[in-house]
Amino acid sequence: MTRAVRVAVNGAAGRMGTALCALLVHDPRFALVYAVVAPDSPRVGTPICGDNARALRCARDWDDAPAVDVVIDFSSPAGLEAALAHCLAGTTALLSGTTGCDAALDARLLAASAHIPVLRAANFSLGVAVLTRLLRDAATALPEWDVEIVEMHHRAKRDAPSGTALALGRAVARGRDMTTETPFVFNREGLTDGRSQGSIGFAVVRGGDVVGEHTALLIAQGERLELVHRATDRSIFARGALHAAHWLSQRAPGAWTLDDTLAKPQVES
Ligand code: NAD
């Protein structure tokens, strides 16, 4: 039997960190050996799960970290920077879902992937990863069809369209080999000149407690193809991250994507 993958969680007291730790302690594929929270967090020194004397306690930094195979980071850009430095020092794999990083940090992460395995995703849902792949293939196969992307989220979501909707739009552009700036259309109101050929339209719906729904429509004369993903539970991101972390623990240095972790169709000769 292969040994459990040793994991450290960065941002362990956050919503994602809490969900990850709750899954990790019951998952025999992993051993949760270290957990980092923000340096000023009231959780520093408190047990990560349970309350017994031997429970793993939250650390404020990486100084006392034991050897780990993968660091899973869902924190902040500053937290990710510290985790990256730790991973580079020990040639440890880094999986990160942290969003809002600036171009300089993006570039440092890319450069680090020459030395350590790095996997980043703005959405760790495996269903969305497959939707992205299906949409790219469909957009390539149907180059003349109009593409519209509709997303629906809970009433408190602030950014619009969602990062995932924009990523779906970029997948269409890649599938169609669009070299110039992708013609994304975000607003239609009043009298318009109609739909410009090759543009990708976005529509946003907000309400209630909707976790997340993305629909990609490919529309032609007399027929329409719809690809839909509905999230009903936020734990999908934690489950997808653990799937990817296990995969990443066996990989060489490189800039990996969630799509890389998914099986590819066998090509018939
Ligand atoms: P959150 O605010 O609940 O948790 C973030 C945690 O990181 C907080 O507890 C904060 O104290 C901690 N933190 C801040 N600075 C830190 C540091 N220097 N070191 C260690 N910890 C630090 O947010 P969340 O919902 O858990 O999301 C965390 C990040 O993951 C955000 O960037 C969010 O956009 C992203 N996210 C990505 C996905 C995905 O699928 N890729 C899904 C959900 C959230």
Side-chain angles (χ1 to χ4, degrees), residues 54-132:
R54 293 176 54 221
L56 179 66
R57 284 169 195 277
C58 299
R60 65 159 44 86
D61 55 36
W62 292 93
D63 289 357
D64 299 323
V68 297
D69 301 305
V70 183
V71 168
I72 302 180
D73 163 78
F74 283 82
S75 61
S76 63
L80 173 53
E81 292 225 35
L84 174 62
H86 178 73
C87 288
L88 277 171
T91 59
T92 303
L94 173 62
L95 176 145
S96 179
T98 297
T99 57
C101 302
D102 62 19
L105 182 53
D106 286 344
R108 276 206 294 288
L109 285 155
L110 188 59
S113 67
H115 308 284
I116 57 173
V118 176
L119 193 155
R120 301 178 68 198
N123 187 322
F124 269 98
S125 152
L126 299 183
V128 166
V130 172
L131 169 65
T132 307

Coordinates of all heavy atoms in Angstrom, one line a residue, residues 54-132:
R54 N -3.9 16.2 21.7 CA -3.0 15.8 20.6 C -3.4 16.4 19.2 O -2.8 16.1 18.2 CB -3.0 14.3 20.5 CG -2.3 13.6 21.7 CD -2.3 12.1 21.7 NE -1.8 11.6 20.5 CZ -2.3 10.6 19.8 NH1 -3.4 10.0 20.3 NH2 -1.7 10.1 18.7
A55 N -4.5 17.1 19.2 CA -5.0 17.7 17.9 C -4.0 18.6 17.3 O -3.3 19.3 18.0 CB -6.3 18.4 18.2
L56 N -4.0 18.6 16.0 CA -3.1 19.5 15.2 C -3.6 21.0 15.5 O -4.8 21.3 15.4 CB -3.3 19.2 13.7 CG -2.5 20.1 12.8 CD1 -1.0 19.8 12.9 CD2 -2.9 19.7 11.3
R57 N -2.6 21.8 15.8 CA -3.0 23.2 16.1 C -2.6 24.2 15.0 O -1.6 23.9 14.2 CB -2.3 23.6 17.4 CG -3.0 23.0 18.6 CD -2.3 23.1 19.9 NE -2.9 22.1 20.8 CZ -4.0 22.4 21.5 NH1 -4.6 23.5 21.4 NH2 -4.6 21.4 22.2
C58 N -3.3 25.2 14.8 CA -3.1 26.2 13.8 C -1.8 27.0 14.0 O -1.6 27.5 15.1 CB -4.3 27.2 13.7 SG -5.8 26.4 13.3
A59 N -1.0 27.1 13.0 CA 0.3 27.8 13.1 C 0.1 29.2 12.4 O -0.7 29.4 11.5 CB 1.4 27.0 12.4
R60 N 0.9 30.2 12.8 CA 0.9 31.5 12.3 C 1.8 31.7 11.0 O 1.7 32.6 10.3 CB 1.2 32.6 13.3 CG 2.6 32.6 13.8 CD 3.0 33.9 14.4 NE 2.0 34.5 15.3 CZ 1.8 34.3 16.6 NH1 2.6 33.4 17.2 NH2 0.8 34.9 17.2
D61 N 2.7 30.7 10.9 CA 3.7 30.8 9.8 C 4.2 29.4 9.5 O 3.7 28.4 10.0 CB 4.8 31.8 10.1 CG 5.5 31.4 11.3 OD1 5.7 30.2 11.6 OD2 5.9 32.3 12.1
W62 N 5.2 29.3 8.6 CA 5.7 28.1 8.1 C 6.9 27.6 8.9 O 7.5 26.5 8.5 CB 6.0 28.2 6.6 CG 4.8 28.3 5.8 CD1 4.2 29.5 5.4 CD2 3.9 27.3 5.4 NE1 3.0 29.3 4.7 CE2 2.8 27.9 4.7 CE3 3.9 25.9 5.5 CZ2 1.8 27.2 4.2 CZ3 2.9 25.2 5.0 CH2 1.8 25.8 4.3
D63 N 7.4 28.3 9.9 CA 8.6 28.1 10.6 C 8.8 26.6 11.1 O 9.8 26.0 11.1 CB 8.9 29.1 11.8 CG 9.2 30.5 11.2 OD1 9.2 30.6 10.0 OD2 9.3 31.4 12.1
D64 N 7.7 26.1 11.7 CA 7.7 24.8 12.3 C 7.1 23.7 11.5 O 6.8 22.6 12.0 CB 7.0 24.8 13.7 CG 7.7 25.8 14.6 OD1 8.9 25.9 14.6 OD2 6.9 26.5 15.4
A65 N 7.0 23.9 10.2 CA 6.3 22.9 9.3 C 7.2 21.7 9.1 O 8.4 21.8 8.9 CB 6.0 23.6 7.9
P66 N 6.5 20.5 9.3 CA 7.3 19.3 9.0 C 7.3 19.1 7.5 O 6.8 19.9 6.7 CB 6.4 18.2 9.6 CG 5.0 18.8 9.5 CD 5.1 20.3 9.6
A67 N 8.0 18.0 7.0 CA 8.0 17.7 5.6 C 6.6 17.4 5.1 O 5.9 16.7 5.7 CB 8.9 16.5 5.3
V68 N 6.2 18.1 4.0 CA 4.9 17.8 3.4 C 5.1 17.5 1.9 O 6.1 17.9 1.3 CB 3.9 18.9 3.6 CG1 3.6 19.2 5.0 CG2 4.3 20.2 2.9
D69 N 4.1 16.8 1.3 CA 4.2 16.5 -0.1 C 3.5 17.6 -0.9 O 3.9 18.0 -2.0 CB 3.5 15.2 -0.4 CG 4.1 14.0 0.3 OD1 5.4 13.8 0.2 OD2 3.5 13.3 1.1
V70 N 2.4 18.1 -0.4 CA 1.6 19.1 -1.1 C 1.1 20.2 -0.1 O 0.5 19.8 0.9 CB 0.3 18.5 -1.8 CG1 -0.4 19.6 -2.6 CG2 0.7 17.4 -2.7
V71 N 1.3 21.4 -0.5 CA 0.6 22.5 0.3 C -0.7 22.9 -0.5 O -0.6 23.1 -1.7 CB 1.5 23.8 0.4 CG1 0.7 25.0 0.9 CG2 2.7 23.5 1.3
I72 N -1.8 22.9 0.2 CA -3.1 23.3 -0.4 C -3.4 24.7 0.1 O -3.6 24.9 1.3 CB -4.2 22.4 -0.1 CG1 -3.9 20.9 -0.6 CG2 -5.5 22.8 -0.7 CD1 -5.0 19.9 -0.2
D73 N -3.5 25.7 -0.8 CA -3.6 27.1 -0.4 C -5.0 27.7 -0.9 O -5.2 27.7 -2.1 CB -2.5 27.9 -1.0 CG -2.8 29.4 -1.0 OD1 -2.7 30.0 0.1 OD2 -3.2 29.9 -2.1
F74 N -5.8 28.1 0.1 CA -7.0 28.9 -0.2 C -6.9 30.0 0.8 O -7.5 29.9 1.9 CB -8.3 28.1 -0.1 CG -8.6 27.2 -1.2 CD1 -8.0 25.9 -1.3 CD2 -9.4 27.6 -2.2 CE1 -8.2 25.1 -2.4 CE2 -9.7 26.7 -3.3 CZ -9.1 25.5 -3.4
S75 N -6.2 31.0 0.6 CA -6.0 32.1 1.6 C -6.2 33.5 1.0 O -7.3 33.9 0.7 CB -4.6 31.9 2.2 OG -3.6 32.1 1.3
S76 N -5.1 34.2 0.8 CA -5.1 35.5 0.2 C -3.8 35.6 -0.6 O -2.9 34.8 -0.4 CB -5.0 36.5 1.3 OG -3.8 36.4 2.1
P77 N -3.6 36.6 -1.5 CA -2.4 36.7 -2.2 C -1.1 36.8 -1.3 O -0.1 36.1 -1.5 CB -2.5 38.0 -3.0 CG -4.0 38.1 -3.2 CD -4.7 37.6 -2.0
A78 N -1.3 37.5 -0.1 CA -0.1 37.5 0.8 C 0.1 36.1 1.4 O 1.3 35.7 1.6 CB -0.4 38.5 2.0
G79 N -0.9 35.4 1.7 CA -0.8 34.0 2.3 C -0.1 33.1 1.2 O 0.7 32.3 1.5
L80 N -0.6 33.3 0.0 CA 0.0 32.5 -1.1 C 1.5 32.8 -1.3 O 2.3 31.8 -1.6 CB -0.8 32.8 -2.4 CG -0.3 32.1 -3.7 CD1 -0.1 30.6 -3.5 CD2 -1.3 32.4 -4.8
E81 N 1.9 34.0 -1.2 CA 3.3 34.4 -1.3 C 4.1 33.6 -0.3 O 5.2 33.1 -0.7 CB 3.5 35.9 -1.1 CG 2.9 36.7 -2.2 CD 3.8 37.9 -2.6 OE1 5.1 37.6 -2.6 OE2 3.3 38.9 -2.9
A82 N 3.7 33.6 0.9 CA 4.4 32.9 2.0 C 4.5 31.4 1.7 O 5.5 30.8 1.9 CB 3.8 33.2 3.3
A83 N 3.4 30.9 1.3 CA 3.3 29.4 1.0 C 4.2 29.1 -0.2 O 4.9 28.1 -0.2 CB 1.9 29.0 0.7
L84 N 4.3 30.0 -1.2 CA 5.1 29.7 -2.3 C 6.6 29.7 -1.9 O 7.4 28.8 -2.3 CB 4.9 30.8 -3.4 CG 5.9 30.8 -4.6 CD1 5.7 29.5 -5.4 CD2 5.6 32.0 -5.5
A85 N 7.0 30.7 -1.1 CA 8.4 30.7 -0.6 C 8.7 29.4 0.2 O 9.8 28.8 0.0 CB 8.6 31.9 0.3
H86 N 7.8 28.9 1.0 CA 8.0 27.7 1.7 C 8.2 26.5 0.7 O 9.0 25.6 0.9 CB 6.9 27.4 2.7 CG 7.0 26.1 3.4 ND1 8.0 26.0 4.4 CD2 6.4 25.0 3.3 CE1 7.9 24.7 4.9 NE2 7.0 24.1 4.2
C87 N 7.3 26.4 -0.2 CA 7.3 25.3 -1.2 C 8.6 25.3 -2.0 O 9.2 24.2 -2.2 CB 6.1 25.4 -2.1 SG 4.6 25.0 -1.3
L88 N 9.1 26.5 -2.4 CA 10.3 26.5 -3.2 C 11.5 26.1 -2.4 O 12.4 25.4 -2.9 CB 10.5 28.0 -3.7 CG 9.8 28.3 -5.0 CD1 9.9 29.8 -5.3 CD2 10.3 27.5 -6.2
A89 N 11.5 26.5 -1.1 CA 12.6 26.1 -0.2 C 12.7 24.6 0.0 O 13.8 24.1 0.1 CB 12.5 26.8 1.1
G90 N 11.6 23.9 0.0 CA 11.6 22.5 0.2 C 11.3 21.6 -1.0 O 11.0 20.5 -0.8
T91 N 11.2 22.2 -2.2 CA 10.7 21.6 -3.4 C 9.4 20.8 -3.2 O 9.3 19.6 -3.4 CB 11.8 20.7 -4.1 OG1 12.2 19.7 -3.1 CG2 13.0 21.5 -4.5
T92 N 8.4 21.5 -2.6 CA 7.1 20.9 -2.3 C 6.1 21.4 -3.3 O 6.2 22.5 -3.8 CB 6.7 21.4 -0.9 OG1 7.7 21.1 0.1 CG2 5.4 20.8 -0.5
A93 N 5.2 20.4 -3.7 CA 4.2 20.8 -4.7 C 3.2 21.8 -4.0 O 2.9 21.8 -2.8 CB 3.4 19.6 -5.1
L94 N 2.7 22.7 -4.9 CA 1.8 23.8 -4.4 C 0.5 23.8 -5.3 O 0.5 23.9 -6.5 CB 2.4 25.1 -4.6 CG 1.6 26.4 -4.3 CD1 1.1 26.4 -2.8 CD2 2.4 27.7 -4.6
L95 N -0.6 23.6 -4.6 CA -1.9 23.7 -5.2 C -2.6 25.0 -4.7 O -2.7 25.1 -3.4 CB -2.8 22.5 -5.0 CG -4.2 22.5 -5.5 CD1 -4.6 21.1 -5.9 CD2 -5.2 23.0 -4.4
S96 N -3.1 25.8 -5.5 CA -3.7 27.1 -5.0 C -5.0 27.4 -5.7 O -5.1 27.4 -6.9 CB -2.7 28.2 -5.1 OG -3.4 29.4 -4.6
G97 N -6.0 27.8 -4.9 CA -7.3 28.3 -5.4 C -7.5 29.7 -5.2 O -8.5 30.3 -5.5
T98 N -6.5 30.4 -4.5 CA -6.6 31.8 -4.2 C -6.7 32.6 -5.4 O -6.0 32.5 -6.4 CB -5.3 32.2 -3.4 OG1 -5.3 31.5 -2.2 CG2 -5.3 33.7 -3.1
T99 N -7.7 33.6 -5.4 CA -7.9 34.5 -6.5 C -7.5 35.9 -6.2 O -7.1 36.2 -5.0 CB -9.4 34.5 -6.9 OG1 -10.2 34.9 -5.7 CG2 -9.9 33.1 -7.3
G100 N -7.5 36.8 -7.1 CA -7.1 38.2 -6.9 C -5.6 38.4 -6.9 O -5.2 39.5 -6.3
C101 N -4.8 37.5 -7.4 CA -3.4 37.7 -7.4 C -3.0 38.8 -8.5 O -3.6 38.8 -9.6 CB -2.7 36.4 -7.7 SG -3.0 35.2 -6.5
D102 N -2.0 39.6 -8.3 CA -1.6 40.5 -9.3 C -0.6 39.9 -10.3 O -0.2 38.7 -10.1 CB -1.0 41.8 -8.7 CG 0.3 41.5 -7.9 OD1 0.9 40.4 -8.1 OD2 0.7 42.4 -7.1
A103 N -0.3 40.6 -11.4 CA 0.5 40.0 -12.5 C 1.8 39.6 -12.0 O 2.4 38.5 -12.5 CB 0.6 41.0 -13.6
A104 N 2.4 40.3 -11.0 CA 3.8 40.0 -10.5 C 3.7 38.6 -9.8 O 4.6 37.8 -10.0 CB 4.3 41.0 -9.6
L105 N 2.7 38.4 -9.0 CA 2.6 37.1 -8.3 C 2.3 36.0 -9.3 O 2.9 34.9 -9.2 CB 1.5 37.2 -7.2 CG 1.3 35.9 -6.3 CD1 2.6 35.4 -5.7 CD2 0.3 36.2 -5.2
D106 N 1.4 36.2 -10.3 CA 1.2 35.2 -11.3 C 2.5 34.8 -12.0 O 2.7 33.7 -12.2 CB 0.2 35.8 -12.4 CG -1.2 35.9 -11.9 OD1 -1.5 35.3 -10.9 OD2 -2.0 36.7 -12.6
A107 N 3.3 35.8 -12.3 CA 4.6 35.6 -12.9 C 5.5 34.8 -12.0 O 6.2 33.8 -12.5 CB 5.3 36.9 -13.4
R108 N 5.6 35.1 -10.7 CA 6.4 34.3 -9.8 C 6.0 32.9 -9.7 O 6.8 32.0 -9.6 CB 6.4 35.0 -8.4 CG 7.4 36.1 -8.3 CD 7.9 36.4 -6.9 NE 6.8 36.8 -6.0 CZ 6.3 38.0 -6.1 NH1 6.7 38.9 -7.0 NH2 5.3 38.4 -5.3
L109 N 4.7 32.7 -9.7 CA 4.1 31.3 -9.6 C 4.5 30.5 -10.9 O 4.9 29.3 -10.8 CB 2.6 31.3 -9.4 CG 2.2 31.7 -8.0 CD1 0.8 32.3 -8.0 CD2 2.3 30.5 -7.1
L110 N 4.4 31.2 -12.0 CA 4.8 30.5 -13.3 C 6.3 30.2 -13.3 O 6.7 29.1 -13.6 CB 4.5 31.4 -14.5 CG 4.6 30.8 -15.8 CD1 3.7 29.6 -16.0 CD2 4.3 31.8 -16.9
A111 N 7.1 31.1 -12.8 CA 8.6 30.8 -12.8 C 8.9 29.7 -11.8 O 9.7 28.8 -12.1 CB 9.3 32.1 -12.3
A112 N 8.1 29.6 -10.7 CA 8.3 28.6 -9.7 C 8.0 27.2 -10.3 O 8.6 26.2 -9.8 CB 7.4 28.8 -8.5
S113 N 7.1 27.2 -11.2 CA 6.7 25.9 -11.8 C 7.9 25.2 -12.6 O 7.8 24.0 -12.9 CB 5.5 26.0 -12.7 OG 5.8 26.8 -13.9
A114 N 9.0 25.9 -12.8 CA 10.2 25.2 -13.4 C 10.9 24.4 -12.3 O 11.6 23.5 -12.6 CB 11.1 26.3 -13.9
H115 N 10.6 24.6 -11.0 CA 11.2 23.9 -9.9 C 10.3 23.0 -9.1 O 10.8 22.0 -8.6 CB 11.9 25.0 -9.0 CG 12.7 26.0 -9.7 ND1 14.0 25.7 -10.2 CD2 12.5 27.3 -10.1 CE1 14.5 26.7 -10.8 NE2 13.6 27.7 -10.7
I116 N 9.1 23.4 -9.0 CA 8.1 22.6 -8.2 C 6.8 22.4 -9.0 O 6.5 23.2 -9.9 CB 7.8 23.3 -6.9 CG1 7.2 24.7 -7.1 CG2 9.0 23.3 -6.0 CD1 6.6 25.4 -5.9
P117 N 6.0 21.3 -8.7 CA 4.7 21.2 -9.4 C 3.8 22.3 -8.8 O 3.7 22.4 -7.6 CB 4.3 19.8 -9.0 CG 5.5 19.1 -8.4 CD 6.4 20.1 -7.9
V118 N 3.1 23.0 -9.7 CA 2.2 24.1 -9.3 C 0.9 23.8 -10.1 O 0.9 23.6 -11.3 CB 2.7 25.5 -9.7 CG1 1.7 26.6 -9.3 CG2 4.0 25.8 -8.9
L119 N -0.2 23.8 -9.3 CA -1.5 23.7 -10.0 C -2.4 24.8 -9.4 O -2.7 24.8 -8.2 CB -2.1 22.3 -9.7 CG -3.4 21.9 -10.6 CD1 -3.5 20.4 -10.7 CD2 -4.7 22.5 -10.1
R120 N -2.9 25.6 -10.3 CA -3.8 26.7 -9.9 C -5.1 26.6 -10.7 O -5.1 26.2 -11.8 CB -3.2 28.1 -10.2 CG -1.9 28.3 -9.5 CD -1.3 29.7 -9.9 NE -2.1 30.8 -9.4 CZ -2.1 32.0 -9.8 NH1 -1.3 32.3 -10.9 NH2 -2.8 33.0 -9.3
A121 N -6.2 27.0 -10.0 CA -7.5 27.0 -10.7 C -8.4 28.0 -10.0 O -8.4 28.1 -8.8 CB -8.2 25.6 -10.7
A122 N -9.2 28.8 -10.8 CA -10.1 29.7 -10.2 C -11.4 29.1 -9.8 O -12.2 29.6 -9.0 CB -10.4 30.9 -11.2
N123 N -11.6 27.8 -10.2 CA -12.8 27.0 -9.9 C -12.4 25.6 -9.8 O -12.0 25.0 -10.9 CB -13.9 27.3 -10.9 CG -15.2 26.6 -10.5 OD1 -15.2 25.5 -9.9 ND2 -16.3 27.3 -10.7
F124 N -12.4 25.0 -8.6 CA -11.9 23.6 -8.5 C -13.1 22.6 -8.7 O -12.9 21.4 -8.4 CB -11.2 23.4 -7.2 CG -9.7 23.6 -7.3 CD1 -9.2 24.8 -6.9 CD2 -8.9 22.6 -7.8 CE1 -7.8 25.1 -7.1 CE2 -7.5 22.8 -8.0 CZ -7.0 24.0 -7.6
S125 N -14.2 23.0 -9.1 CA -15.3 22.0 -9.4 C -14.9 21.2 -10.6 O -14.5 21.7 -11.7 CB -16.6 22.8 -9.8 OG -17.4 22.0 -10.6
L126 N -14.9 19.8 -10.4 CA -14.6 18.9 -11.6 C -15.6 19.0 -12.7 O -15.3 18.9 -13.8 CB -14.5 17.5 -11.1 CG -13.4 17.3 -10.0 CD1 -13.3 15.8 -9.6 CD2 -12.0 17.8 -10.5
G127 N -16.9 19.3 -12.3 CA -18.0 19.5 -13.3 C -17.7 20.7 -14.2 O -17.9 20.6 -15.4
V128 N -17.3 21.8 -13.6 CA -17.0 23.0 -14.4 C -15.7 22.7 -15.3 O -15.7 23.2 -16.4 CB -16.7 24.2 -13.4 CG1 -16.1 25.3 -14.2 CG2 -18.1 24.6 -12.9
A129 N -14.8 21.9 -14.8 CA -13.6 21.6 -15.6 C -14.0 20.8 -16.8 O -13.6 21.1 -17.9 CB -12.6 20.8 -14.8
V130 N -15.0 19.9 -16.7 CA -15.4 19.1 -17.8 C -16.3 20.0 -18.7 O -16.2 19.9 -19.9 CB -16.2 17.9 -17.3 CG1 -16.9 17.2 -18.5 CG2 -15.2 16.9 -16.6
L131 N -17.1 20.9 -18.1 CA -18.0 21.8 -18.9 C -17.0 22.6 -19.8 O -17.3 22.9 -21.0 CB -18.8 22.7 -18.0 CG -19.5 23.9 -18.7 CD1 -20.5 23.4 -19.7 CD2 -20.1 24.8 -17.6
T132 N -15.9 23.1 -19.2 CA -15.0 24.0 -20.0 C -14.4 23.2 -21.2 O -14.3 23.7 -22.3 CB -13.9 24.4 -19.0 OG1 -14.4 25.0 -17.9 CG2 -12.9 25.4 -19.7

